[in-house]
Amino acid sequence: MAMVLVTPASAGTTLGASAAEKGRYFGTAVAANKLSDSAYTTILNREFTMVTAENEMKIDATEPQQGQFRYSQADPIVNHARTHGMQVRGHTLAWHGQQPGWMQGMEGTALRTAMLNHVTQVVTHYRGQIYSWDVVNEAFADGNSGGRRDSNLQRTGNDWIEAAFRAARAADPGAKLCYNDYNTDNWTWAKTQGVYNMVRDFKARGVPIDCVGFQSHFNNDSPYVSNYRTTLSSFAALGVDVQITELDIQGAPANTYRSVVEDCLAVARCNGITVWGIRDSDSWRASQTPLLFNSNGSKKPAYDAVLAALNNGTTPPTTPPPTTTPPPTDPPPTTPPPGTGACTATVTVNQWTGGFVANVRVTAGSSALNGWTVTIALPSGATVTNAWSADRSGNTGTTNWTNVAYNGQVGAGQSTEFGFQANGTAGSLSPTCAAR
Ligand code: G3I
């Protein structure tokens, strides 16, 4: 019997477009020295909406000599991302690994001061350009202790992690701040529980943490397990976003890749998935052929499984249900909502006493955008103080936001973001979007 496969009308044909239809990104690690490889950039530009510098934002790359900051390795990656409408995850600010020689030899107060200065300088350099920062990377020990890893940073005092988060928040209040680690995928593992307890404690004490990154380097020693979804949803229930930040799977089994995507789609606060490289030959574990593309750039069965899972997944509600009873009838519409069908805008707010940062995501509908305008009505008392990645008119009441030169063109189903900081209270913002 002949079978006819029906593709939903809205199904995307690339990882990024399909993820965007589910309100998520799909990213990859990028190595700066591969940006001159056209086979590499062809896949990068076609498939991905988020980029992580594989090594170029690490401490040894950005501060090779103490106090001398160098962005010549990372900036080409950030510029490539921005000119192609991709967002950037910053990786990473405070880590025991890939420390420059001068830092490796440091301890105590001098190291604490140097680490905080590093966080402040690098986050300030990229202020307004980073979707989320891996502020602290791999601070927990493997094995059964559930405790911290010994390192020169840990020996500066147990509060080094929260100190790094506070410095990052002060330097860029618009970036999501993540804790990132590996071997934290299995809910039953002591390391997972150790990180969970830290995040719960941070949320209880108001330490500025917004997200947890799960590296998810799956292999025979640290395999994918079906409780992965429980892990993601349990962290999300603490009030943080979760992100899959460095995904690769030994042998790239299609079913396992599919499960990971389905798990992310099942958790409303799972923002997106980043794979740790494009082709197998780009992988830090090339011999395990763990990625979605063959070394010759062709799509593997795992790619097809990921795309299908993104297209078939259902979108869970991203906002909690209203706690008040809605009016019995909707008020009659006065004017039709602007730009219906052309684009949509959603907003994420980080509110603190007296101020907030809003990140606004603009997503194209079934046609590409050549420009966009977002309208946001601010409640009384809210005043915009600064903004990035959009031009605005008005800083109180009804504000209009239009694209800047580099982010007006948004492919069908793709997204871009802008943001602003304001005094006052955001309340619930309802942005509308129109094509220009
Ligand atoms: O660039 C030099 C080259 O000049 C030199 O000839 C060569 C000799 O070894 O080394 C090259 O640098 C290597 C660098 O990757 C660039 O390829 C380093 O030796 C090598 O150690 C480094 O490995 C990186 C690793 O982090 C180091 O910790 C991998 O590329 C990178 O994929 C990996 O990424 C980490 C994440 O940051 C954190 N989570 C785990 C993940 C995988 O280890």
Side-chain angles (χ1 to χ4, degrees):
M1 188 178 72
M3 286 223 331
V4 178
L5 288 176
V6 179
T7 308
S10 63
T13 56
T14 64
L15 302 172
S18 296
E21 287 179 358
K22 296 294 184 290
R24 287 160 172 90
Y25 63 78
F26 207 99
T28 181
V30 165
N33 63 9
K34 292 184 178 145
L35 290 175
S36 54
D37 173 349
S38 66
Y40 181 85
T41 53
T42 296
I43 304 173
L44 171 64
N45 298 347
R46 185 186 69 218
E47 298 286 345
F48 296 97
T49 52
M50 182 70 74
V51 156
T52 306
E54 186 174 0
N55 287 295
E56 294 78 355
M57 279 191 194
K58 294 172 179 176
I59 315 171
D60 58 355
T62 51
E63 196 178 356
Q65 305 297 328
Q66 187 173 14
Q68 294 178 17
F69 290 86
R70 180 182 69 177
Y71 301 104
S72 54
Q73 297 185 357
D75 278 350
I77 295 177
V78 175
N79 292 338
H80 184 98
R82 288 166 69 85
T83 54
H84 292 84
M86 305 166 190
Q87 295 178 287
V88 179
R89 295 194 77 261
H91 174 82
T92 179
L93 298 165
W95 186 26
H96 68 276
Q98 285 173 280
Q99 292 185 356
W102 64 265
M103 186 179 272
Q104 289 177 31
M106 270 189 166
E107 298 277 350
T109 306
L111 174 61
R112 173 69 71 97
T113 304
M115 179 272 286
L116 293 175
N117 183 53
H118 181 83
V119 171
T120 300
Q121 296 291 331
V122 176
V123 175
T124 300
H125 176 80
Y126 287 113
R127 182 185 170 101
Q129 302 180 50
I130 301 294
Y131 172 77
S132 57
W133 269 110
D134 291 334
V135 177
V136 171
N137 196 40
E138 301 176 358
F140 277 73
D142 290 310
N144 295 324
S145 77
R148 299 282 182 86
R149 170 196 299 278
D150 178 50
S151 72
N152 58 350
L153 289 166
Q154 180 63 28
R155 290 191 295 271
T156 70
N158 207 47
D159 61 345
W160 73 276
I161 298 180
E162 60 195 84
F165 274 84
R166 292 187 205 280
R169 176 69 96 230
D172 185 355
K176 296 188 197 213
L177 305 182
C178 300
Y179 175 79
N180 189 54
D181 215 328
Y182 66 91
N183 282 353
T184 49
D185 315 293
N186 188 327
W187 181 239
T188 68
W189 284 15
K191 187 172 177 181
T192 310
Q193 293 300 312
V195 175
Y196 177 83
N197 288 333
M198 178 189 74
V199 175
R200 185 171 57 184
D201 171 55
F202 279 11
K203 293 299 289 183
R205 291 191 293 112
V207 176
I209 185 169
D210 306 304
C211 40
V212 175
F214 297 84
Q215 294 185 9
S216 304
H217 293 294
F218 292 119
N219 55 66
N220 296 341
D221 296 323
S222 180
Y224 170 82
V225 284
S226 58
N227 68 30
Y228 185 55
R229 189 180 298 193
T230 300
T231 302
L232 298 179
S233 61
S234 299
F235 275 84
L238 292 176
V240 289
D241 290 343
V242 293
Q243 301 173 1
I244 299 170
T245 53
E246 304 182 16
L247 179 64
D248 48 22
I249 311 178
Q250 183 169 13
N255 283 341
T256 313
Y257 263 106
R258 177 185 299 114
S259 296
V260 170
V261 173
E262 289 173 350
D263 291 340
C264 179
L265 293 179
V267 177
R269 293 196 75 152
C270 182
N271 303 142
I273 298 171
T274 295
V275 287
W276 205 239
I278 297 178
R279 303 161 301 192
D280 284 333
S281 50
D282 302 318
S283 171
W284 69 302
R285 285 175 167 167
S287 66
Q288 293 186 3
T289 61
L291 295 175
L292 301 179
F293 293 88
N294 280 319
S295 298
N296 68 11
S298 58
K299 296 170 182 172
K300 294 165 63 175
Y303 172 95
D304 298 329
V306 166
L307 190 66
L310 289 170
N311 285 334
N312 292 338
T314 54
T315 311
T318 53
T319 49
T323 51
T324 53
T325 313
T329 51
D330 288 337
T334 45
T335 48
T340 299
C343 57
T344 54
T346 55
V347 64
T348 311
V349 171
N350 282 330
Q351 177 79 55
W352 60 87
T353 307
F356 63 93
V357 161
N359 275 303
V360 184
R361 166 170 283 239
V362 177
T363 303
S366 51
S367 309
L369 296 171
N370 283 319
W372 43 263
T373 301
V374 170
T375 302
I376 303 175
L378 297 174
S380 108
T383 307
V384 177
T385 54
N386 68 301
W388 50 93
S389 306
D391 291 325
R392 80 170 182 275
S393 66
N395 59 0
T396 57
T398 299
T399 56
N400 287 306
W401 306 81
T402 53
N403 62 278
V404 287
Y406 62 80
N407 65 5
Q409 297 195 319
V410 185
Q414 305 265 359
S415 299
T416 189
E417 280 196 344
F418 69 93
F420 61 90
Q421 186 171 349
N423 295 327
T425 303
S428 81
L429 301 176
S430 305
T432 57
C433 185
R436 295 175 68 206

